[in-house]
Amino acid sequence: MLNAKTRWKMKDSDQQKIAELAQELNVPPLVAKLLINRDLADADDARNFLFDTGGSFHDPFLFDDMQKAKERIMLAIEQEERILVYGDYDADGVSSTSVLMTVLTDLGAQVEFYIPNRFTEGYGPNEEAFRWAADEGFSVIITVDTGISAVEEAKLAKDFGIDLILTDHHEPGPELPPVYAMIHPKVEGCSYPFKELAGVGVALKLAHALYGEFPDHLLDLAAIGTIADLVPLHGENRLIAKKGIAKLRVTDRLGIKALCRVANAQQNEMNEETVGFMIAPRINAVGRLGDADPAVDLMLSRDPEEAKALAEEIDGLNKERQSIVAKMTEEAVEMVEKEFPPSENGVLVIGKEGWNPGVVGIVASRLVDRFYRPTIVLSFDPDSNRAKGSARSIAGFDLFKNLSMNREILPHFGGHPMAAGMTLALSDVDELRARLNEQAKDVLNEEDFVPVTELDAEVAVDEITVESIEKMHLLAPFGMNNPKPKWVIRDVSIDHYKKIGSAQNHLKLVLAENGVQVDGVGFGLGELADHMTPYVKASVIGELSINEWNNRKKPQIFLQDIQISSWQLFDMRGIKQVTKWAPLIPDSDRVIVCFHPKTADTSLFKGEVRYIQSESDLEGIVVDGCNLVFLDLPGDRRLMEQLLELGRPHRIYAHFHQHEDHFFSTMPTRDHFKWYYAFLHKRGSFDLKKHGNDLAKYKGWSMETIDFMSKVFFELKFVTIEDGLISLHPVKVKKDLSESPAYMRKQHQYELENELLYSSYQELKTWFSERMKESAIVEEEVEAWT
């Protein structure tokens, strides 16, 4: 067996609905499965989703305060008032700031932008920044991607005579800031129909209202923030992402073109993964390590040399960020394992002085990946007695809701169910950890701490074609609520498998079903090759893709997990050195047995070996579900059979070391014995010591064969042996060879070696299968897919 690393969860598929939808839309069943499992079973809805028919952007004036905001901004432009765009330091905030700066500049506004420093000011509006704005003569402040928690700061702005227009998308708290106008889709009573816009999506709606027509030229910026902020990619977000990606591929925006060059990204091939893994991390790196202003400057740059220099600077910051994250993650993992073990902590809350507060969110994500616990990573600042940090969660634990229950010790926090940021007193960190762990006990159980992989549907190998995968990309761009499809292929034969890569840390295999094959590649899964056996059937999950090489296209699956439900036989008979295969045996649930004392004395597993010499030694051995290792062959076949009757192991490792090889020594036939007896009868006696080797050479036998036959005759009392001289017994007795214990032992060992030591892999597996508990076979089949 090979257990999956995660819990596989898949929606049920109605085969009739799949067939009907596939026919109506003229798409492969594989695509129809995806649509139905994403609540797009209605043909019209599915057609709109795939082909962008019927989808359009909502009227921005459906926001209650949009008209009021537009009128105030247009008045400020007309009267040449100074306007400040107040943004955030992440990719969504940078994009939002760039969008609003563009529209206001186009409309002739006297406008500047301000993004707080993560390290000296923290997240969101702050008193010092607003005082500065008032001193500088700004009469209108427009927040983008921030502000919904700034209750006190909004009051301060009002006192300063500044009209504060708030645009945001983060979760509103129980008290809303008193602002001049609020454009936020999630505040209670807001009539705007789509509630899940990113910060840049809200800024885009304001730009739409200000321009008087939809600003297509801003879709490249809007796509970056929308994809980077991991908002659900359906409704307007899908339109922004899809149309924005198309715009990114042809944009003339110098900053984006320069970023593509330093990231080695092909602009004309950009997709959601390019944005999510190449563009957005570089934009985010700026605000993580210092002021985010250069990122906005890059997005707005109209000078090729300036754009080139800024892009190179930002790329350098990203490399520095990667190095910092690697070091902090290493320290964080060590801290968790030593001080806050996951076995005792349902929520991980850790922190350290000197940790960069700009990357704590990334480190938190890494810890969630490793330990699968809701995680808060904090940077401690003894000078201010504050801890700043970020949190990431798992399914079933709503971060925003649970943090909201601790508002009295969290003066500043905000976020979503799956991610949040916060500031608190150092003295309250332990209290927060204790409270969250108690809260976790009420909502999470042991199963919740096993990672979940959400699967779209089951697919057969013969359904995986280049055409079906190309049609599947009609569902792109993929992201939150429209994830890249993950498939399961059940109970499929693995024809070939091997480790690949310079470090042998990747896995390549060939899946075969009904005469059709598909290649699979698992990055980072190379070690699984040590836990798979020939002729095995497995279930695999992963993402389908097209491998194009030398102008030839082939379907393939990028493997993410593998499960083998049947027991496996690992054939170690040809590997004499135990040290070469011993590390491959799982440390837990293993039973290591031998049948000869010499093996037990010399075994690498000395403290674990169960030495079995009689039936009583089998007592207490639990075979069901174990990893059973046979170091050698038994002298008595029945001992081995009785052991296998105790249950059904998940794995059997067969080494079968022999101190004495019976199979390749001559097993004398009855004709051999007949000739030897006649020889002795003719000679009367024979000196084995002096002439035994000559006799062996004459007959083409080994000396071991002559000694063996002599011992058999002695046991049957046909001869006497004294000091190497063998003589026929004067009294003739009639006995069969089977009455000699030596003859039967050798015959038995010869047969056992033939069956176990020198049989083929398939013959050996059949031998084991026939001797295991029948009930275990039935149980295994029942449990395989429940």
Side-chain angles (χ1 to χ4, degrees), residues 66 69 73 100 142 167 183 202-211:
M66 186 63 81
I73 293 169
L100 215 52
I142 308 171
T167 78
I183 302 172
V202 180
L204 188 69
K205 305 311 294 186
L206 178 56
H208 185 175
L210 291 171
Y211 277 125

Side-chain angles (χ1 to χ4, degrees), residues 141-155:
I141 295 178
I142 308 171
T143 71
V144 287
D145 190 35
T146 188
I148 194 62
S149 299
V151 176
E152 297 304 319
E153 290 79 6
K155 293 176 182 177

Side-chain angles (χ1 to χ4, degrees), residues 45 169 172 224 473 549 631 678:
D45 291 342
H169 73 120
I224 291 173
H473 284 293
W549 188 73
L631 293 177

